[in-house]
């Protein structure tokens, strides 16, 4: 096969290149040599010296090399380079519900149940109804906003029955 190894001049990528060449594949490395070294690249492999974020350069490489497989190992591996410029907050949404939620999606039990019930259909509850997920999903999930209130001063303002009523009203009006 013709294989392109992005990051093929790096620690891991260069070993991958070596093995692929040993196995008889035609191999090229795509690497900007920012941390990788030209000498690491197997002599039977070709080097495309380019930045993977340079679209034109990557397209030119793909057009010329025509790889059947791209094996991607190129990365800035020092995570400390991201962090100082990125002040981030991660929000872990629980079962968000309300007007505008798609009733045909995989997520959103309220919207899905409302959508079905408005059409006179019965929602399907998997298993006995006692367990919390299906196979492949988390076994148990307990949601608690106590920490959000303590740390962020946030607490839900809409009681669940009111939110449900609003969601049903919207779903009816939207004809979902
Ligand atoms: N080494 C580890 O212990 C380890 C552990 C977990 C994950 N990884 C991941 O494995 C991958 C390879 O890691 P490594 O240890 O071989 O690192 P490395 O720095 O030796 O290799 C990365 C290669 O990518 C190249 N590169 C970086 N930015 C590039 C860009 N914009 N365009 C083109 N090439 C670029 C570098 O020049 C280098 O050759 C990375 O994705 C890394 O996050 C490594």
């Amino acid at each position: 096969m013709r294989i392109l190894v992005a990051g093929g001049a790096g620690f891991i990528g260069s070993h991958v290149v070596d093995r692929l060449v040993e196995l008889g594949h035609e191999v090229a490395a795509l690497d900007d040599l920012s941390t990788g070294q030209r000498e690491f690249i197997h002599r039977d492999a070709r080097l495309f010296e380019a930045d993977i974020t340079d679209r034109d350069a990557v397209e030119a490489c793909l057009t010329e090399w025509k790889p059947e497989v791209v094996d991607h190992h190129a990365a800035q591996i020092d995570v400390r380079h991201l962090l100082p410029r990125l002040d981030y907050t991660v929000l872990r949404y629980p079962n968000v519900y309300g007007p505008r939620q798609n009733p045909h999606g995989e997520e959103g039990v309220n919207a899905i149940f409302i959508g079905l019930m408005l059409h006179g259909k019965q929602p399907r509850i998997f298993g006995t109804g006692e367990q919390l997920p299906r196979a492949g999903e988390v076994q148990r999930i307990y949601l608690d906003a106590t920490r959000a209130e303590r740390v962020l001063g946030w607490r839900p303002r809409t009681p669940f029955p009111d939110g449900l009523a609003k969601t049903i009203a919207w779903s009816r009006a939207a004809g979902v």
Side-chain angles (χ1 to χ4, degrees):
M1 294 179 97
R2 286 172 74 80
I3 302 175
L4 182 69
V5 181
F11 164 50
I12 295 174
S14 63
H15 283 285
V16 171
V17 169
D18 284 354
R19 183 69 181 137
L20 291 173
V21 171
E22 278 172 26
L23 290 170
H25 297 291
E26 289 182 78
V27 186
L30 172 65
D31 202 297
D32 67 356
L33 302 180
S34 52
T35 58
Q37 296 188 40
R38 195 181 296 272
E39 310 82 77
F40 289 170
I41 300 174
H42 195 286
R43 64 178 178 281
D44 293 337
R46 178 169 172 184
L47 170 66
F48 287 88
E49 190 174 336
D51 183 336
I52 53 165
T53 65
D54 179 342
R55 188 188 177 114
D56 291 341
V58 172
E59 273 186 7
C61 166
L62 294 176
T63 303
E64 187 178 341
W65 185 249
K66 296 186 178 51
E68 296 163 83
V69 170
V70 175
D71 187 354
H72 177 52
H73 287 88
Q76 162 52 252
I77 64 166
D78 186 347
V79 291
R80 291 168 303 178
H81 282 288
L82 289 169
L83 288 177
R85 285 173 292 179
L86 198 61
D87 183 14
Y88 66 89
T89 301
V90 176
L91 299 178
R92 302 177 71 189
Y93 293 129
N95 267 334
V96 182
Y97 74 97
R100 301 183 194 161
Q101 190 168 30
N102 182 356
H104 307 295
E106 175 64 22
E107 295 281 332
V109 66
N110 290 315
I112 294 169
F113 278 23
I114 289 168
L116 288 168
M117 286 193 266
L118 286 178
H119 287 89
K121 294 181 184 165
Q122 185 158 356
R124 180 172 176 201
I125 296 177
F126 294 95
T128 62
E130 293 295 317
Q131 86 290 348
L132 306 170
R134 274 179 288 168
E137 297 178 349
V138 289
Q139 285 298 313
R140 293 180 189 282
I141 181 167
Y142 296 100
L143 305 170
D144 179 358
T146 310
R147 191 167 178 217
E149 182 171 2
R150 182 164 37 84
V151 177
L152 303 172
W154 179 88
R155 64 161 68 180
R157 282 182 298 182
T158 307
F160 184 58
D162 296 356
L164 207 50
K166 272 189 191 171
T167 308
I168 293 168
W170 179 85
S171 302
R172 272 212 179 92
V176 297

